[in-house]
Amino acid sequence: MDIGIGLPNTVPGTEGAALTDWARRAEDAGFSTLGTIGRLVYPTFDELIALAGAAAVTSRIRLTTSVLLAPLHSNTALLAKQAASLDRLSGGRLVLGLGLGGRDDDFAAAGVPTKGKGHRLEEQLAEMKEIWSGRPYGDGGAIGPKPVREGGPELILGGSAEASFDRVARLADGWIMGGGTPEMFAQAAAAVDAAWQKAGRDGRPRKLTLAYFALGPDARAQADAYLLHYYGFLGDMAQQIAASAAINTEMVKAYAAAFESSGCDELIFVPTSSDPEQIRLLAEAIA
């Protein structure tokens, strides 16, 4: 199983220089990918722009939106162009993880309805693939640049419902769980595999998941300060999310072992702080 690390693009107070420094250090530490969390109404860095900054200072590490909320982007052609630009800029390292989103304020701010967002995502996927195929759209030709991989960047979709698993099987390369236990992952992963087989797809879908972490002497306070604020809209569930963060080496190792046993291909540990020392601590914990 690959082990990735998130960029602190959602951690309030993070500066641009901290993001690019984080990206360099993460690559040097040997992590498989840099992940980003997507949200509109929060003081976050946009995922594609944050990863473009990371791409400029790295050469090997994958760049994963884990996940970008596609239905918030009403201009699908522009989204396809931005994704292809990042993919080409990074030499084909983009993994485009897409999800539906669940916060009404994000949709209100974007001026798009929440109703029908699953259908909207499927329309977007079809349109983006058409664009990435190089189809001419006018006198200027295709909407470029052309992605490095034929057909477009690797597509990973989130979601925990049967409709989401079916969408993965028909339209994507893999699936990502946005949070939960290894047992929850194993159950959902089996459903994804079943949908994949039912759709007659060859091979197997790549399956990923996320887990929050905070390490060091103030780990518990650090995790609580960030996660209780970020997930405050969920009420009591925010406490559960904060409590699940890996706050010591033993928890990091246990999560890694349990998710690997449940069939996970890549586990992305998401930081709750932009202190670069967290990269070293996590690398040592998984060594």
Side-chain angles (χ1 to χ4, degrees):
M1 182 181 70
D2 291 335
I3 300 289
I5 189 171
L7 271 176
N9 71 298
T10 58
V11 177
T14 301
E15 298 294 339
L19 283 180
T20 51
D21 179 55
W22 184 286
R24 288 191 198 95
R25 291 172 183 250
E27 179 167 83
D28 289 344
F31 289 103
S32 61
T33 199
L34 285 164
T36 55
I37 300 293
R39 186 163 162 185
L40 182 57
V41 183
Y42 201 74
T44 61
F45 285 87
D46 176 84
E47 306 96 290
L48 294 177
I49 291 177
L51 289 177
V57 297
T58 58
S59 61
R60 175 199 58 81
I61 197 167
R62 286 193 293 264
L63 309 168
T64 302
T65 56
S66 54
V67 294
L68 182 151
L69 306 181
L72 298 182
H73 296 256
S74 56
N75 189 330
T76 303
L78 180 58
L79 175 60
K81 186 178 185 73
Q82 291 171 329
S85 297
L86 176 53
D87 188 62
R88 176 62 63 176
L89 176 70
S90 66
R93 289 184 283 143
L94 176 63
V95 177
L96 189 59
L98 301 175
L100 296 175
R103 287 179 53 92
D104 290 342
D105 54 357
D106 282 344
F107 284 83
V112 295
T114 57
K115 185 177 180 180
K117 57 187 177 182
H119 179 66
R120 171 64 177 154
L121 175 58
E122 295 201 14
E123 291 180 334
Q124 288 180 293
L125 290 170
E127 184 177 350
M128 287 192 289
K129 289 181 178 183
E130 187 76 8
I131 289 169
W132 294 333
S133 74
R135 169 195 155 187
Y137 277 77
D139 293 339
I143 299 173
K146 185 178 180 180
V148 173
R149 193 180 81 155
E150 190 68 29
E154 179 181 357
L155 281 173
I156 305 292
L157 302 183
S160 57
E162 185 176 347
S164 299
F165 305 150
D166 174 68
R167 192 175 295 121
V168 168
R170 291 185 290 108
L171 302 170
D173 302 299
W175 168 76
I176 184 168
M177 184 173 78
T181 66
E183 293 76 19
M184 292 167 63
F185 181 90
Q187 183 176 3
V192 171
D193 286 337
W196 190 270
Q197 293 169 8
K198 183 178 178 181
R201 296 283 299 271
D202 294 330
R204 57 185 294 275
R206 196 160 77 90
K207 297 184 282 290
L208 302 78
T209 194
L210 308 177
Y212 283 107
F213 82 98
L215 298 170
D218 300 319
R220 179 75 275 159
Q222 173 185 305
D224 287 349
Y226 169 67
L227 293 171
L228 293 179
H229 185 258
Y230 188 81
Y231 289 105
F233 71 98
L234 293 175
D236 292 342
M237 189 177 293
Q239 294 282 352
Q240 299 176 34
I241 295 171
S244 71
I247 58 170
N248 54 52
T249 296
E250 292 73 22
M251 290 183 71
V252 168
K253 289 185 179 296
Y255 275 4
F259 277 114
E260 184 171 21
S261 295
S262 65
C264 184
D265 295 305
E266 185 170 54
L267 168 59
I268 303 174
F269 281 101
V270 180
T272 57
S273 163
S274 55
D275 181 353
E277 180 69 2
Q278 292 294 303
I279 301 169
R280 182 186 66 81
L281 291 172
L282 181 61
E284 291 179 351
I286 63 174

